[in-house]
C-alpha cells in the first residue's frame, strides 16, 4: 500500500486463485488520481470520481484486467484480455475466438517495439548483459529466432448518452503508446527481472 487520501495505489487483495481450469495470481487495487488531475478538478469532483478500481487475473499466458470507476458504476468498464504465444509473429487472425458480430467491431493494430515512443527506453540501442539480447533492428520480428506475441483485446464501454462513442474513442486513443511503452520498458529492463521467481515478482 502506497497511498494518501488523494493519491497513490492501495492494494486490497494479492493472492493465488484458481478458476475455470486456470491457476494464477489475483490482485485488487484502487488507484487514487488526485495528483494526476488539475487542482480545480480535485476541488469540485466527488471523491469516488477520482478513483480507478483494478481487478486483475494473471494466469500467464492468459491475463485479464478490468478497470471501473466507483462514481460511474456500471456505466464505465474497461477490460484488457491478453493471450501470450511463444514463437508467434502475429499471424493469428482471431486469437481471442471472437464471434462474427465482435469481429465486425474489432480494429486490429500491430505494435512494434522499435517504433519510437516518447519518454521510453530504446530497444534499438539497448543490449542485455544477462541475456545478450539487443539491439533490435527494424524487421527484428521476422529475423529473431525466439519471439513472443501478446494479443490484447481492449474493450471500453462508456454509457453516457450523446458522448458515448466520443469518450470511448478518446480513451482508446491513448492505448497504443501506453502498451508500446510498457513493452519497450519490459525489454530494456530485462536485466532487472531476468531470473526472478514468481515469488520474487509478487
Amino acid at each position: 500500500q502506497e497511498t494518501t487520501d488523494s493519491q497513490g495505489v492501495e492494494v486490497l487483495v494479492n493472492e493465488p486463485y484458481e478458476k475455470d481450469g486456470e491457476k494464477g495470481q489475483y490482485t485488487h487495487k484502487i488507484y487514487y488520481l488526485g495528483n494526476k488531475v488539475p487542482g480545480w478538478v480535485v476541488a469540485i469532483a466527488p471523491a469516488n470520481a477520482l478513483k480507478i478500481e483494478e481487478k486483475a487475473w494473471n494466469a500467464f499466458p492468459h491475463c485479464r484486467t478490468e478497470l471501473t470507476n466507483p462514481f460511474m458504476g456500471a456505466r464505465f468498464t474497461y477490460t484488457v484480455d491478453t493471450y501470450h504465444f511463444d514463437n508467434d509473429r502475429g499471424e493469428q487472425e482471431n486469437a481471442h475466438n471472437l464471434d462474427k458480430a465482435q469481429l465486425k467491431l474489432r480494429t486490429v493494430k500491430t505494435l512494434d517495439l522499435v517504433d519510437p515512443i516518447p519518454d521510453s527506453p530504446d530497444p534499438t540501442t539497448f543490449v542485455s548483459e544477462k541475456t545478450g539480447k539487443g539491439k533490435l533492428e527494424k524487421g527484428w520480428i521476422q529475423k529473431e529466432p525466439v519471439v513472443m506475441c501478446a494479443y490484447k483485446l481492449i474493450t471500453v464501454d462508456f454509457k453516457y448518452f450523446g458522448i458515448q462513442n466520443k469518450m470511448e474513442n478518446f480513451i482508446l486513443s491513448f492505448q497504443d503508446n501506453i502498451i508500446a511503452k510498457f513493452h519497450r520498458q519490459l525489454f530494456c529492463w530485462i536485466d532487472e527481472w531476468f531470473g526472478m521467481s514468481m515469488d520474487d515478482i509478487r
Side-chain angles (χ1 to χ4, degrees), residues 40-107:
W40 65 268
V41 175
V42 176
I44 64 174
N48 279 351
L50 301 177
K51 297 178 183 178
I52 295 294
E53 189 169 344
E54 177 195 86
K55 295 180 179 180
W57 297 262
N58 186 346
F60 185 87
H62 178 223
C63 305
R64 181 178 177 85
T65 300
E66 298 178 356
L67 300 182
T68 56
N69 175 262
F71 178 71
M72 296 186 64
R75 292 173 295 178
F76 169 72
T77 57
Y78 171 104
T79 63
V80 182
D81 205 47
T82 306
Y83 286 95
H84 301 83
F85 292 92
D86 283 330
N87 301 315
D88 186 302
R89 303 177 194 276
E91 305 98 339
Q92 297 191 50
E93 292 294 330
N94 190 8
H96 291 86
N97 295 318
L98 303 182
D99 60 32
K100 291 182 178 180
Q102 293 171 316
L103 289 172
K104 287 183 179 180
L105 297 174
R106 183 188 67 171
T107 299

Side-chain angles (χ1 to χ4, degrees), residues 29-179:
K29 303 175 183 178
I30 296 179
Y31 294 86
Y32 296 87
L33 307 181
N35 63 335
K36 303 295 183 180
V37 298
W40 65 268
V41 175
V42 176
I44 64 174
N48 279 351
L50 301 177
K51 297 178 183 178
I52 295 294
E53 189 169 344
E54 177 195 86
K55 295 180 179 180
W57 297 262
N58 186 346
F60 185 87
H62 178 223
C63 305
R64 181 178 177 85
T65 300
E66 298 178 356
L67 300 182
T68 56
N69 175 262
F71 178 71
M72 296 186 64
R75 292 173 295 178
F76 169 72
T77 57
Y78 171 104
T79 63
V80 182
D81 205 47
T82 306
Y83 286 95
H84 301 83
F85 292 92
D86 283 330
N87 301 315
D88 186 302
R89 303 177 194 276
E91 305 98 339
Q92 297 191 50
E93 292 294 330
N94 190 8
H96 291 86
N97 295 318
L98 303 182
D99 60 32
K100 291 182 178 180
Q102 293 171 316
L103 289 172
K104 287 183 179 180
L105 297 174
R106 183 188 67 171
T107 299
V108 178
K109 294 185 178 181
T110 301
L111 304 182
D112 190 334
L113 294 186
V114 302
D115 292 338
I117 299 294
D119 302 319
S120 71
D122 187 357
T124 67
T125 61
F126 168 78
V127 178
S128 167
E129 294 181 2
K130 291 185 177 180
T131 69
K133 291 193 173 295
K135 310 171 182 177
L136 295 184
E137 300 177 350
K138 201 72 176 176
W140 69 273
I141 295 176
Q142 301 303 324
K143 297 176 182 177
E144 288 290 329
V146 180
V147 296
M148 173 180 286
C149 185
Y151 291 85
K152 293 183 177 290
L153 178 64
I154 300 175
T155 307
V156 177
D157 195 2
F158 189 95
K159 298 177 181 178
Y160 262 90
F161 180 75
I163 62 171
Q164 179 171 346
N165 289 340
K166 181 177 291 187
M167 284 302 300
E168 288 174 351
N169 291 332
F170 175 73
I171 294 169
L172 288 172
S173 69
F174 290 97
Q175 291 312 295
D176 290 359
N177 278 7
I178 292 174
I179 293 171

